[in-house]
């Protein structure tokens, strides 16, 4: 059964596995998310790098073009000036050009004659007819040259801008302006991704035209060397290429001069430098977040499991016994297999008057008793299961083939309890057990209430402590429910009425008293006899209210009789032993009788013999109190309970009512001698004896012969309504003069 419970409350292995799988999945999904995020970031950075180097390339191209075109325009302006004011004094021109060299960042500026002589502002006077780019310049083209080494012997590399000067349409000499390649190239590289990228100017064949001096940047030089002449890696726009195990991102931006390009490139690792940083910080953040989530999850799962366990214990574990309780059985019951049910009995058991036990021995011993019951069951019937419901109420299941086996097992349990009581292991108590075979029951409630119905049949019985359920018990139980629920309304509607059954002196047939007997006269006229509802109301405690109602009615009717000129003889009112347990009961009765202006000696109270064995009642005290107020006390149903010879001597009863079951047996010799002894005993004790339930003349004759003179029974009269009883009295009192009263009052 345990596994069903675990399933029910989610404490099973499965629950833990599911939690584990959920956490694992969470992590897998998180890693996947990180991977996808990484890819997305990397893609974005790719795009970003491409955009970035494209922008840089464009800017660099514009910058270089502007720089070169500015210088070219300057040379053109100078050429136009010289064309308007022609002079062939080359020394003078070179001297004048010095000013421009300083102001416009030329490395050198000068004149190249058509026969190849160079006159520069810096003082160079040399024939350069055969050296590049002067050999080209002599041809008279406006030209921007590629990089070439300076002719002054320094390591400086230069680019030259040449501009022919024409007079009358004929080229007369050429202006030549040189600028440092490195200066332009350095400016380009400044802008390239925090200095990690390179920008150079190349021609369409990949040859470097403008680039920084070789010694400055080794990587840079490598790229220049690699790219030189590799026409296939010089497309327009964007490309990537590999060189010495490195991947490069490159952008080729057309320059608009000589068909050149500005090539901007960057190594992949540098391009992703910031991307990697971002990725690392995002990953670190994620890992931190996951750790936090994991810790939170573990905490949550731990707290949840703790909470579940606590909840489980609160709901399913009995706080006193630390064992599984009724709730546990309630959850598991539907899962018990049909074939198992066929060989199982369900039982309900409790302690008779557990309240009184607690009151008498203290709640600590009450708790001990609960523990004892649980232990004794587990040790005596280990094959069974017991669960506490509330207070002293236990339920459980017991494997057994049939009712007989169930009863046998329960008898074994009761024997063990009895032995323990005798050995003083536990204070005396009485268990009541109701057993119901489980076959055919689907719902716990149904079998529980049937087992309770069985248990109720043995409640307060001094003979049986265990009953097996049968169909009649259910009917009885339903009936009891109806009785219980209908009580209040019946009381309110005045449906409870009092009938009187006169008691007679059997020698002369004179009424010497009467017994007040309650009847439930329903609205439809049906009369319910007290035998049906009194036991029920005794169990529920409603009897107390009913007894009060009966006494009220009797008082009223006695008063009416007195006022009607009738002298009612003593009336005996039945008082339940439940009622006798109420503290201050006699005082209450006295007040009631006196408030009606009646003489208490008009009343007797009948107490059943079994009340003598009720632990909660100190009978002697009550009898004394009744006597003190002037009322009589009769022992009812004498002979039905456990032998009460002692009680006759110990308690000051005024009258003994010999139970009808004895009277019925007149004719049986053995029983006759019991009756005769009882009559003799009562005579010796000086307590009058009333024979209950006399039905025949023969019985009367015998009883009178044996010395019992007082009787009550159908032979004389059935219990009759008050009006009828009144008439009987009236008739008698108006025909006879004498009147006696039972008990000698
Ligand atoms: P009980 O006090 O022993 O009352 C006598 C019962 O025997 C009455 O039954 C009466 O009708 C019946 N009886 C008397 N003579 C004969 C006879 O010759 N033959 C037969 N067959 N029966 C006879 P009833 O009225 O049904 O009452 C049953 C029991 O209910 C009473 O037994 C008494 O214990 C209880 N009871 C009745 N009224 C009250 C009440 O107001 N309060 C309490 N607490 N119990 C009551
Ligand atoms: Mg009675
Ligand atoms: Mg009786």
């Amino acid at each position: 059964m345990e596994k069903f419970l675990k399933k029910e409350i989610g404490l099973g292995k499965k629950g833990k596995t599911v939690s584990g799988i959920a956490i694992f999945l969470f992590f897998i999904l998180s890693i996947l998310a990180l991977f996808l995020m990484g890819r997305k970031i990397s893609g974005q950075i790719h795009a970003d790098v491409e955009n970035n180097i494209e922008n840089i390339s464009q800017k660099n191209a514009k910058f270089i073009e502007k720089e070169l075109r500015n210088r070219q325009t300057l040379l053109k302006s100078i050429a136009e000036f010289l064309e308007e004011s022609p002079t062939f004094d080359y020394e003078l021109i070179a001297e004048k050009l010095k000013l421009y060299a300083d102001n416009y960042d030329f490395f050198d500026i000068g004149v190249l004659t058509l026969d190849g002589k160079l006159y520069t502002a810096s003082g160079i006077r040399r024939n350069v007819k055969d050296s590049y780019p002067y050999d080209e310049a002599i041809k008279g083209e406006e030209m921007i040259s590629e990089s070439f080494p300076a002719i002054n012997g320094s390591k400086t590399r230069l680019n030259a801008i040449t501009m022919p000067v024409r007079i009358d349409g004929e080229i007369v000499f050429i202006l030549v302006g040189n600028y440092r390649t490195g200066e332009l190239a350095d400016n380009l590289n400044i802008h390239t991704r925090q200095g990690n990228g390179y920008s150079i100017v190349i021609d369409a064949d990949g040859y470097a035209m403008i680039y920084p001096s070789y010694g400055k940047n080794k990587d840079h030089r490598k790229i220049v060397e690699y790219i030189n002449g590799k026409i296939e890696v010089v497309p327009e726009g964007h490309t990537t290429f590999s060189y010495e195990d490195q991947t490069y991102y490159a952008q080729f931006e057309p320059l608009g001069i000589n068909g050149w390009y500005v090539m901007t490139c960057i190594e992949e690792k540098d391009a992703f430098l910031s991307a990697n940083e971002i990725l690392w910080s995002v990953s670190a953040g994620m890992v931190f977040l996951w750790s936090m989530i994991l810790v939170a999850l573990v905490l949550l799962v731990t707290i949840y499991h703790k909470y579940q366990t606590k909840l489980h214990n609160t709901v399913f574990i009995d706080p006193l016994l630390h064992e599984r309780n009724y709730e546990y059985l309630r959850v598991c019951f539907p899962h018990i297999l049909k074939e198992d049910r066929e060989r199982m009995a369900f039982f309900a058991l409790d302690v008779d008057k557990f309240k009184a036990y607690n009151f008498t021995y203290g709640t600590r011993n009450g708790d001990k008793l609960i523990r004892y019951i649980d232990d004794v069951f587990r040790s005596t019937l280990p094959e069974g299961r017991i669960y506490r419901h509330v207070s002293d109420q236990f339920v459980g299941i017991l494997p057994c083939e049939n009712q007989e086996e169930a009863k046998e097992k329960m008898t074994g349990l009761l024997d063990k309890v009895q032995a323990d009581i005798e050995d003083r292991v536990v204070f005396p108590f009485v268990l009541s057990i109701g057993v119901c075979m489980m076959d055919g029951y689907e719902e716990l409630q149904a079998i529980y209430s049937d087992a309770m119905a069985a248990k109720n049949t043995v409640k307060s019985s001094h003979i049986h402590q265990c009953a097996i359920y049968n169909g009649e018990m259910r009917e009885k139980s339903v009936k009891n429910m109806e009785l219980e629920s209908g009580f209040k309304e019946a009381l309110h509607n005045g449906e409870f009425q009092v009938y009187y059954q006169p008691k007679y002196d059997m020698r002369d047939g004179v009424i010497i008293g009467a017994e007040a007997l309650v009847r439930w006269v329903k609205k439809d006229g049906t009369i319910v006899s007290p035998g049906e509802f009194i036991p029920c109301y005794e169990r529920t405690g409603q009897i107390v209210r009913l007894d009060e109602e009966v006494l009220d009615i009797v008082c009223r009717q006695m008063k009416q009789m007195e006022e009607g000129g009738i002298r009612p003889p003593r009336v005996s009112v039945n008082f339940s032993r439940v009622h006798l347990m109420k503290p201050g009961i006699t005082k209450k009765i006295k007040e009631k009788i006196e408030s009606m202006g009646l003489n208490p000696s008009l009343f007797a109270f009948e107490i059943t013999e079994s009340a003598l064995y009720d632990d909660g009642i100190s009978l002697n005290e009550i009898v004394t109190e009744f006597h003190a107020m002037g009322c009589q006390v009769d022992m009812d149903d004498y002979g039905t309970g456990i032998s009460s010879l002692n009680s006759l001597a110990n308690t000051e009863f005024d009258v003994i009512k010999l139970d009808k079951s004895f009277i019925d047996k007149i004719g049986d010799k053995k029983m006759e001698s019991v009756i005769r002894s009882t009559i003799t005993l009562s005579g010796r004790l000086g307590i009058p004896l009333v024979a209950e339930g006399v039905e025949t003349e023969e019985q009367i004759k015998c009883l009178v012969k044996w010395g019992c003179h007082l009787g009550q029974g159908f032979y004389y009269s059935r219990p009759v309504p008050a009006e009828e009883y009144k008439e009987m009295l009236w008739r008698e009192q108006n025909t006879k003069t004498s009147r006696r009263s039972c008990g000698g009052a």
Side-chain angles (χ1 to χ4, degrees):
M1 283 208 299
E2 279 75 6
K3 71 174 181 231
F4 297 120
L5 182 78
K6 283 182 176 173
K7 191 175 155 196
E8 196 84 17
I9 60 168
L11 266 183
K13 241 184 188 173
K14 208 175 164 189
K16 285 177 190 163
T17 317
V18 168
S19 317
I21 290 175
I23 293 174
F24 177 72
L25 278 179
F26 169 75
F27 272 89
I28 293 289
L29 287 176
S30 302
I31 288 165
L32 197 70
L34 187 68
F35 175 71
L36 292 175
M37 211 165 84
R39 280 190 53 154
K40 196 162 183 205
I41 290 176
S42 147
Q44 271 174 355
I45 284 167
H46 265 266
D48 185 43
V49 168
E50 282 174 19
N51 280 342
N52 192 237
I53 59 174
E54 188 180 341
N55 277 343
I56 290 167
S57 262
Q58 282 170 358
K59 274 184 191 161
N60 281 341
K62 267 185 197 157
F63 168 75
I64 293 218
E65 202 173 335
K66 203 172 144 201
E67 285 287 305
L68 295 176
R69 292 290 181 213
N70 278 350
R71 287 178 172 119
Q72 206 175 31
T73 309
L74 179 74
L75 285 187
K76 193 163 183 85
S77 304
I78 298 168
E80 280 169 5
F81 174 77
L82 289 172
E83 281 166 358
E84 277 169 25
S85 327
T87 173
F88 293 95
D89 185 348
Y90 299 126
E91 291 290 345
L92 182 70
I93 297 171
E95 185 59 35
K96 293 275 183 199
L97 286 176
K98 202 171 182 181
L99 181 72
Y100 294 101
D102 293 342
N103 287 340
Y104 290 92
D105 279 345
F106 279 108
F107 174 73
D108 205 358
I109 187 165
V111 176
L112 175 68
T113 62
L114 293 179
D115 56 359
K117 263 201 174 158
L118 188 66
Y119 296 82
T120 73
S122 68
I124 290 173
R125 305 286 184 268
R126 189 182 290 187
N127 194 329
V128 291
K129 197 175 153 191
D130 297 322
S131 57
Y132 181 83
Y134 306 105
D135 54 348
E136 294 285 316
I138 290 172
K139 292 173 188 166
E141 290 293 315
E142 282 183 31
M143 185 183 84
I144 296 174
S145 81
E146 63 186 80
S147 187
F148 62 93
I151 54 168
N152 63 1
S154 70
K155 280 186 177 175
T156 313
R157 291 189 72 85
L158 302 170
N159 290 82
I161 302 171
T162 64
M163 184 63 65
V165 178
R166 287 185 177 84
I167 294 176
D168 297 332
E170 288 292 315
I171 297 172
V172 287
F173 55 85
I174 291 122
L175 291 177
V176 179
N178 293 336
Y179 58 87
R180 281 188 192 85
T181 304
E183 243 168 54
L184 278 177
D186 286 347
N187 272 331
L188 298 181
N189 291 321
I190 286 167
H191 302 289
T192 315
R193 288 194 83 92
Q194 292 102 40
N196 290 322
Y198 331 107
S199 283
I200 56 172
V201 176
I202 55 170
D203 69 4
D205 295 332
Y207 291 108
M209 298 293 116
I210 300 174
Y211 51 90
S213 50
Y214 279 164
K216 265 192 174 173
N217 187 327
K218 269 190 186 168
D219 290 341
H220 198 158
R221 201 171 72 200
K222 278 198 279 182
I223 294 302
V224 171
E225 279 169 1
Y226 171 74
I227 212 100
N228 258 355
K230 284 205 174 55
I231 192 152
E232 68 275 13
V233 295
V234 191
E236 207 168 294
H238 177 75
T239 190
T240 51
F241 61 88
S242 294
Y243 175 58
E244 290 189 353
D245 296 334
Q246 290 295 336
T247 302
Y248 292 85
Y249 286 77
Q251 173 75 23
F252 296 90
E253 194 65 34
L255 196 55
I257 293 172
N258 301 344
W260 292 350
Y261 292 89
V262 170
M263 183 195 87
T264 302
C265 80
I266 185 163
E267 260 183 51
E268 192 182 37
K269 70 171 168 43
D270 292 327
F272 283 92
L273 207 62
S274 53
N276 286 340
E277 270 169 24
I278 294 171
L279 264 178
W280 273 115
S281 28
V282 168
S283 307
M286 288 282 275
V287 167
F288 178 74
L289 196 73
W290 286 334
S291 313
M292 289 292 103
I293 291 174
L294 182 67
V295 169
L297 267 176
V298 169
L299 267 173
L300 210 75
V301 169
T302 314
I303 292 170
Y304 178 71
H305 275 276
K306 264 192 180 167
Y307 169 76
Q308 282 280 61
T309 312
K310 202 172 167 185
L311 189 74
H312 165 260
N313 288 350
T314 313
V315 177
F316 298 109
I317 301 293
D318 186 281
L320 177 67
L321 301 172
H322 305 292
E323 297 284 354
R324 285 169 180 142
N325 59 12
Y326 169 76
E327 206 47 36
Y328 177 88
L329 179 67
R330 194 186 62 74
V331 172
C332 298
F333 191 84
H335 302 288
I336 301 174
L337 298 175
K338 194 176 177 296
E339 53 266 36
D340 290 340
R341 281 168 202 256
E342 284 166 7
R343 286 189 299 277
M344 271 186 188
F346 179 91
F347 65 85
L349 66 81
D350 68 8
V351 177
D352 281 9
K353 302 189 199 83
F354 183 58
K355 228 175 173 179
Y357 189 97
N358 267 324
F359 181 73
T360 314
Y361 302 112
T363 48
R364 210 198 247 188
N365 281 312
D367 285 355
K368 260 191 188 171
L369 178 63
I370 297 299
R371 275 191 220 106
Y372 166 80
I373 294 171
D374 193 68
D375 288 346
V376 80
F377 182 91
R378 285 172 199 278
S379 59
T380 316
L381 300 168
E383 69 276 29
R385 294 281 179 276
I386 187 164
Y387 309 93
R388 187 158 82 119
H389 188 184
V390 283
S391 181
D392 60 324
Q393 316 259 340
F394 286 84
V395 292
I397 48 180
L398 190 63
C400 49
E401 293 296 327
N402 48 41
Q403 292 187 1
E404 286 68 36
E405 192 186 337
K407 187 135 197 180
E408 203 177 294
K409 284 184 170 178
M410 285 304 182
T411 309
L413 175 73
L414 291 168
D415 288 348
K416 169 75 177 125
V417 170
Q418 196 50 43
D420 284 346
I421 291 173
E422 280 162 21
D423 293 344
R424 295 174 190 271
V425 174
V426 61
F427 288 115
F429 72 98
V430 179
L431 267 187
S432 294
I433 308 175
V435 181
C436 194
M437 296 308 289
M438 273 171 64
D439 191 16
Y441 283 93
E442 294 293 328
E443 282 178 24
L444 177 64
Q445 278 311 322
I447 196 165
Y448 192 1
S449 66
D450 284 351
M452 293 257 279
K455 186 188 74 182
N456 284 343
T457 62
V458 292
K459 241 261 123 215
S460 304
S461 153
H462 293 273
I463 301 158
H464 300 292
Q465 281 182 261
C466 175
I468 308 278
Y469 175 79
N470 61 44
E472 284 167 21
M473 290 173 181
R474 164 124 304 272
E475 276 170 35
K476 204 173 166 188
S477 176
V478 171
K479 211 167 183 182
N480 279 343
M481 292 259 289
E482 285 170 6
L483 290 172
E484 204 179 321
S485 58
F487 177 74
K488 220 170 171 184
E489 205 189 331
L491 202 67
H492 181 257
N493 295 340
E495 291 176 24
F496 291 110
Q497 292 184 16
V498 176
Y499 276 41
Y500 295 87
Q501 186 178 33
K503 297 175 188 173
Y504 290 84
D505 185 327
M506 293 188 285
R507 289 167 295 185
D508 51 14
V510 172
I511 297 175
I512 47 98
E515 178 174 7
L517 294 159
V518 70
R519 295 287 179 271
W520 182 351
V521 184
K522 291 196 167 174
K523 275 188 203 152
D524 60 5
T526 51
I527 299 176
V528 188
S529 85
E532 279 183 54
F533 56 86
I534 296 278
C536 169
Y537 293 158
E538 279 190 332
R539 263 197 310 278
T540 61
Q542 288 163 315
I543 191 71
V544 174
R545 180 70 193 88
L546 181 64
D547 279 351
E548 282 173 8
E549 173 78 0
V550 170
L551 185 62
D552 271 353
I553 299 171
V554 172
C555 284
R556 266 200 320 271
Q557 290 175 343
M558 287 301 113
K559 189 74 191 162
Q560 279 166 9
M561 285 185 206
E562 281 186 351
E563 285 169 356
I566 294 167
R567 295 180 307 279
R570 178 177 283 128
V571 63
S572 57
V573 179
N574 290 283
F575 249 56
S576 161
R577 57 190 196 282
V578 179
H579 207 155
L580 298 175
M581 286 187 218
K582 286 250 155 201
I585 176 69
T586 44
K587 192 169 169 247
K588 214 170 160 190
I589 293 169
K590 187 173 184 231
E591 281 167 7
K592 188 162 282 178
I593 295 171
E594 284 176 354
S595 72
M596 295 293 290
L598 292 164
N599 188 340
S601 65
L602 196 58
F603 292 87
F605 291 94
E606 292 192 13
I607 298 168
T608 52
E609 189 196 8
S610 52
L612 302 175
Y613 306 98
D614 222 308
D615 303 337
I617 304 170
S618 46
L619 201 61
N620 278 343
E621 270 175 43
I622 292 171
V623 171
T624 312
E625 284 174 28
F626 272 124
H627 285 164
M629 60 189 255
C631 297
Q632 197 174 282
V633 186
D634 300 354
M635 182 194 275
D636 203 357
D637 303 339
Y638 179 78
T640 51
I642 302 162
S643 173
S644 50
L645 293 177
N646 264 354
S647 61
L648 283 183
N650 293 338
T651 313
E652 299 283 313
F653 287 108
D654 299 288
V655 169
I656 299 167
K657 292 186 79 178
L658 187 61
D659 195 69
K660 177 177 181 300
S661 53
F662 289 86
I663 313 303
D664 288 344
K665 293 274 164 58
I666 290 178
D668 177 315
K669 291 293 158 208
K670 270 190 189 163
M671 197 48 99
E672 279 184 5
S673 57
V674 173
I675 298 168
R676 287 171 73 171
S677 326
T678 310
I679 295 170
T680 313
L681 180 71
S682 74
R684 294 231 171 104
L685 291 170
I687 309 170
L689 190 93
V690 177
E692 278 193 288
V694 284
E695 288 178 338
T696 63
E697 205 177 338
E698 217 181 319
Q699 288 169 343
I700 294 167
K701 275 183 186 162
C702 289
L703 287 164
V704 172
K705 191 168 80 190
W706 296 331
C708 171
H709 303 141
L710 308 176
Q712 169 189 354
F714 290 177
Y715 176 81
Y716 292 107
S717 167
R718 285 175 179 268
V720 293
E723 275 308 305
E724 211 174 305
Y725 176 54
K726 213 163 105 181
E727 272 172 33
M728 286 166 86
L729 287 178
W730 191 88
R731 249 193 332 262
E732 193 177 83
Q733 286 171 12
N734 286 301
T735 51
K736 293 177 186 168
T737 45
S738 65
R739 192 193 130 237
R740 286 165 286 157
S741 186
C742 174

